[in-house]
Amino acid sequence: MADASSRPVVIASNRGPLSFSLVDGEPVGRRGSGGLVSGLAPLVESGQARWIAAAMSDADRAAAGDDGIVEADGLTVHMLDIDPEVHRRYYDEVSNSTLWFVHHGLYDLVRSPAFDVGWWEAWESYRQVNAAFADAIVADAPPGATVLVQDYHLCLVARRARVERDDLRFVHFHHTPFAGPDGLRVLPPVVRSELLEGLASHDACGFHTKQWESNYRQCQEAFGGIEGSTFAATINSDMDDLRNVARSKACETALAELAPVMADRAVIARVDRMELSKNIVRGFAAYNRLLERRHDLHTKVVFLACCYPSRLGVEDYRRYHDEVIEAVEAVNERWGTDDWTPVVLMTEDDFPRSVAVLRSYDVLLVNPIRDGLNLVAKEGPVLNERDGQLVLSTEAGAWTELADAADPVFPFDVEATTDTLEAALEREPEQRAFRASELAESAALRTPQDWLEDQLRAV
């Protein structure tokens, strides 16, 4: 077998590195952000890789045209024009409303899931989309290529593609947690088997932490009987890119706009999508309890919350979006004054402003119920300029990297979260500086290139 580093590369992901919007009726593309794009886009720019993704919007489909090839911002991507209703059911009903819930432990088993006829039709859509990706890989992949399949949306791709292309090597990287056997048991046996067989069809499966890797292996042992090769490799954002954003005019403008709100107050912050596993409502409950205990903090502290709507096509997410807003309104109505708003909620997805908040916090709250990694927990310490402390859920994958200097919190314990926020705010300056320095060093140890090389070495 040829050395992995010498093989051409094909990347397959549901969402690609480019997204388009219509401006005066014409599609205009922009590059996405995050570790996945920063880790893999340089391969595409250099001509060493091809990227296959789904067209996610009408603007994407307009940009793709007849051949599906789009170019923008130095990248070329093959966008698959999948029937919008088939893609919606694959994405919303299976990927986001079933697999996401299973791997993050979100189901209330008294009420859900219920695998009715509509769900089984959606499962057929999941199969169809995976088949479309597999067929595109078969057609596009150069001889002997390594195919990097990204995330839980595409678990079935390798099994189908191998039938026609046994020259290819497949690596699957799972960006979410992986449920243990007790979590995976809620899936119908035929679905559970199909997913596990699909994952086992890869030459290797990667996860952000040893815990998620172990859970996968336990599931294969319990239900699949096929172990295969696995590895753990955490991803990182491109910290140089983030620092450039932090130095940008847009970020400085956002910082100036936030200055009157922050004034001389202590700043608690969070930056999250309004997604159920992020545990946002319990975070506000803990802050409310802090204000209940500590009247001396009234007007002296502010919670800057960048919380962006997510997956509003799914009823559970729409409901949670409303719950987040109601939780903020309840805190502000109870404690707010004419010149102090205890929680400043920002729901527009404004990346420079989010970076400005990360530069400015005294305490960053990252308390997910469960998270495959959580890049914000690593980005915050690198960008912060105030010796900010990190209150971090032990159920976040990033905990394995940041445990030495972060403040641990059990995500379901509101009272303990209040205790931890209070302790972080009250910490002596010398200790704050030491812990902040340790956090920043640990958060920046790995690069996106390290993560990419781990995947290539896996074959």
Side-chain angles (χ1 to χ4, degrees):
M1 184 177 73
D3 178 65
S5 62
S6 68
R7 292 177 175 273
V9 175
V10 175
I11 302 158
S13 63
N14 175 63
R15 187 182 298 275
L18 297 175
S19 62
F20 287 82
S21 55
L22 294 176
V23 179
D24 297 328
E26 294 296 320
V28 176
R30 65 181 179 89
R31 185 187 299 226
S33 59
L36 179 64
V37 175
S38 58
L40 299 177
L43 275 179
V44 181
E45 291 171 319
S46 67
Q48 299 176 63
R50 306 181 187 195
W51 200 315
I52 302 171
M56 302 288 289
S57 65
D58 290 340
D60 287 351
R61 283 183 278 275
D66 293 335
D67 64 359
I69 304 302
V70 298
E71 296 183 6
D73 202 11
L75 296 174
T76 301
V77 178
H78 181 180
M79 279 192 174
L80 304 183
D81 187 2
I82 297 165
D83 177 87
E85 179 60 13
V86 170
H87 187 273
R88 184 196 68 78
R89 303 200 76 172
Y90 137 90
Y91 187 65
D92 286 345
E93 296 181 35
V94 176
S95 297
N96 293 337
S97 295
T98 303
L99 300 183
W100 182 274
F101 274 56
V102 165
H103 289 307
H104 288 83
L106 298 177
Y107 274 131
D108 173 359
L109 295 181
V110 174
R111 298 175 178 84
S112 60
F115 300 107
D116 56 16
V117 63
W119 188 90
W120 283 104
E121 291 170 354
W123 176 246
E124 185 56 36
S125 293
Y126 185 88
R127 288 170 168 161
Q128 288 178 40
V129 174
N130 274 252
F133 271 87
D135 292 345
I137 290 166
V138 168
D140 288 3
T146 294
V147 184
L148 305 182
V149 182
Q150 302 299 310
D151 225 356
Y152 62 103
H153 313 85
L154 301 175
C155 293
L156 311 181
V157 167
R159 189 179 183 195
R160 178 181 176 105
R162 279 194 183 281
V163 173
E164 297 186 51
R165 293 292 304 272
D166 62 1
D167 61 305
L168 302 178
R169 297 293 178 267
F170 289 85
V171 177
H172 188 279
F173 198 90
H174 215 276
H175 291 268
T176 70
F178 203 91
D182 194 53
L184 209 67
R185 72 178 174 85
V186 304
L187 293 175
V190 64
V191 172
R192 194 168 57 211
S193 296
E194 195 168 348
L195 287 170
L196 290 173
E197 288 172 15
L199 290 170
S201 297
H202 295 77
D203 293 276
C205 290
F207 306 87
H208 281 303
T209 72
K210 290 287 186 183
Q211 179 182 350
W212 312 141
E213 179 187 11
S214 175
N215 284 0
Y216 167 73
R217 296 183 72 86
Q218 289 176 44
C219 286
Q220 285 288 10
E221 182 178 351
F223 306 122
I226 310 170
E227 289 190 3
S229 178
T230 59
F231 64 99
T234 60
I235 198 172
N236 239 11
S237 300
D238 187 322
M239 297 303 181
D240 288 335
D241 278 356
L242 285 174
R243 293 185 184 101
N244 287 337
V245 174
R247 291 190 289 264
S248 70
K249 182 178 179 180
C251 188
E252 290 297 335
T253 298
L255 205 58
E257 291 172 352
L258 290 169
V261 175
M262 294 188 293
D264 294 324
R265 298 181 174 107
V267 175
I268 299 172
R270 75 177 309 138
V271 176
D272 274 315
R273 291 177 289 112
M274 287 191 210
E275 192 275 296
L276 287 80
S277 68
K278 299 300 181 182
N279 207 23
I280 297 170
V281 172
R282 286 192 186 95
F284 290 138
Y287 179 62
N288 178 70
R289 177 71 175 122
L290 179 65
L291 297 178
E292 193 174 67
R293 283 188 197 171
R294 294 284 304 273
H295 284 242
D296 60 306
L297 289 177
H298 291 196
T299 76
K300 306 298 183 185
V301 64
V302 64
F303 197 142
L304 300 183
C306 298
C307 298
Y308 310 129
S310 176
R311 300 169 179 166
L312 293 180
V314 178
E315 182 182 353
D316 286 324
Y317 290 83
R318 291 196 301 272
R319 189 183 307 121
Y320 194 70
H321 168 273
D322 294 344
E323 290 173 7
V324 169
I325 292 173
E326 290 167 5
V328 171
E329 290 174 346
V331 174
N332 287 339
E333 183 176 345
R334 183 178 184 188
W335 304 113
T337 65
D338 290 342
D339 58 357
W340 174 54
T341 303
V343 182
V344 176
L345 177 64
M346 295 162 276
T347 60
E348 302 84 10
D349 190 353
D350 184 331
F351 186 57
R353 184 177 61 192
S354 296
V355 171
V357 168
L358 292 179
R359 288 174 58 186
S360 306
Y361 67 80
D362 295 289
V363 178
L364 178 64
L365 177 59
V366 182
N367 66 319
I369 291 170
R370 183 178 290 173
D371 226 334
L373 184 62
N374 196 296
L375 285 171
V376 170
K378 299 167 78 173
E379 294 167 351
V382 171
L383 294 171
N384 187 259
E385 299 166 1
R386 291 169 61 148
D387 290 336
Q389 308 297 283
L390 174 63
V391 174
L392 179 60
S393 168
T394 55
E395 296 300 304
W399 174 255
T400 61
E401 298 174 83
L402 305 175
D404 288 345
D407 289 281
V409 64
F410 180 61
F412 304 103
D413 192 336
V414 173
E415 190 72 4
T417 302
T418 303
D419 294 341
T420 309
L421 288 172
E422 184 176 23
L425 285 171
E426 297 294 325
R427 187 164 288 132
E428 292 296 323
E430 184 176 328
Q431 270 297 306
R432 289 178 59 84
F434 174 76
R435 292 170 75 102
S437 176
E438 290 288 299
L439 283 168
E441 183 177 345
S442 297
L445 281 177
R446 283 177 59 84
T447 68
Q449 185 67 23
D450 294 330
W451 172 72
L452 169 61
E453 290 175 357
D454 286 338
Q455 291 179 83
L456 296 177
R457 277 195 295 268
V459 295

